[in-house]
Amino acid sequence: MSPAHQREPHTHDDTAAKEAAILERLRADGGRVTTGRRAIVRALLTGPDHHVTADDVARVVQAEHPDVHLSTIYRTLDALEHLGVVDRVNLGPGGAIYHLTDHAHHHLVCESCGTVIEVRDELFTDLARRLDEQHGFAMPARHLAIVGRCKTCRDEASSRD
Amino acid sequence: MSPAHQREPHTHDDTAAKEAAILERLRADGGRVTTGRRAIVRALLTGPDHHVTADDVARVVQAEHPDVHLSTIYRTLDALEHLGVVDRVNLGPGGAIYHLTDHAHHHLVCESCGTVIEVRDELFTDLARRLDEQHGFAMPARHLAIVGRCKTCRDEASSRD
DNA sequence: GTCGATGCAAACGTTTTGCACACTG
DNA sequence: CAGTGTGCAAAACGTTTGCATCGAC
């Protein structure tokens, strides 16, 4: 899981390669590559958090390209979602989060502090099988979000709840 | 699962008793019982579907009491939620659904047709235990919604997907 | 009469859309 | 140059809130 290397998890070359690959997919789909789209893709790849809202992306992008409009962010994220490059996870009121699909997992969202915990999807395979068997229901393989309460907020709550 | 009785699942007396009990809880909490609230509670008890949106409730209530405002529906549902009488389940865009808490279960929501399937929460106990053990995360005991694809829509999709 | 509930309208935050223009390929 | 992406503004969406008034207890 964690090699002995003391280097950053991703080198710049790594990020640049992924960026190029994604832009290539946009082109392959008949789309165009613009300054705005390049910045949005870069924001998705280099952001500190792997789970970002449209607004998060906008802030990062607009820091360098103030003229990239929020609607462009939404349209581009939508295009990337259709290409299968990003997943959109709806979190009810308060907005959705986006993340790259190369990062397959489910999400535990704390209703109290908003923290997103990633969970390996193997934890859900039993459940998925049973939902299929008993209800014929196909659980999404990715981008499932369960809203509950994280450890920290539970501990805080137990002192006063 | 299905007894031989050919009667309705709930008699009128049954519904009336539940209605009275809920209104009593409102009063016990220092709240008032108004025409609007009575109608809202009745709508929750007698609706054909156990999963209703605020708008669904509004339509039923306003059929008989056109002057009951949507904001009143929201405020009353909110009050009932705080009393623990109803659960609110956020379904991302498209709004939330409400249902009585005496009806403990989780939800499978079809992303394609919107159908809500109820699932016994026992199916989730294994998962809940593991999320607790491995992540310290508390899964909600009720009103969890998993968005996926129901049997019908899967079958339709398989012909063309 | 006190305090809570209501109607109304307006604001909210996120997301979508119609349009004319700008740019990519 | 064809066709796609963009900024902008406005609307859509479900939901919340401030306020004056009404009504329950």
Side-chain angles (χ1 to χ4, degrees), chain B residues 2-135:
Chain B
S2 49
H5 303 177
Q6 280 301 89
R7 298 176 186 152
E8 274 87 62
H10 301 286
T11 66
H12 277 272
D13 286 350
D14 205 16
T15 301
K18 287 185 182 175
E19 179 186 328
I22 293 174
L23 296 177
E24 201 44 54
R25 282 173 80 168
L26 276 171
R27 256 188 287 253
D29 194 52
R32 311 273 160 86
V33 172
T34 63
T35 311
R37 292 186 154 194
R38 218 184 297 269
I40 291 167
V41 169
R42 197 166 302 179
L44 287 172
L45 286 167
T46 62
D49 197 346
H50 286 150
H51 306 92
V52 289
T53 64
D55 220 64
D56 291 335
V57 177
R59 266 195 298 278
V60 174
V61 168
Q62 288 171 354
E64 262 198 278
H65 305 274
D67 41 342
V68 173
H69 202 269
L70 226 200
S71 64
T72 298
I73 311 276
Y74 277 108
R75 286 191 269 228
T76 299
L77 288 173
D78 198 53
L80 292 174
E81 192 191 6
H82 278 90
L83 281 177
V85 172
V86 305
D87 273 335
R88 170 182 175 157
V89 185
N90 293 324
L91 299 185
I97 56 175
Y98 298 82
H99 67 81
L100 296 171
T101 51
D102 63 2
H103 216 211
H105 55 259
H106 293 299
H107 306 89
L108 307 179
V109 184
C110 180
E111 66 187 356
S112 183
C113 66
T115 300
V116 178
I117 303 173
E118 302 182 8
V119 197
R120 290 169 305 127
D121 38 5
E122 297 104 64
L123 264 178
F124 292 78
T125 48
D126 272 9
L127 177 64
R129 182 170 38 75
R130 279 192 268 179
L131 293 184
D132 189 1
E133 287 170 3
Q134 301 186 19
H135 299 275

Side-chain angles (χ1 to χ4, degrees), chain A residues 30-32 34 37 67-69 71-72 75-76:
Chain A
R32 311 275 160 86
T34 63
R37 290 185 156 193
D67 42 342
V68 173
H69 203 268
S71 64
T72 297
R75 286 191 269 228
T76 299

Side-chain angles (χ1 to χ4, degrees), chain A residues 80-101:
Chain A
L80 292 175
E81 192 191 6
H82 277 90
L83 282 177
V85 172
V86 304
D87 272 335
R88 170 181 175 157
V89 185
N90 292 323
L91 299 185
I97 55 176
Y98 299 82
H99 66 84
L100 296 171
T101 50

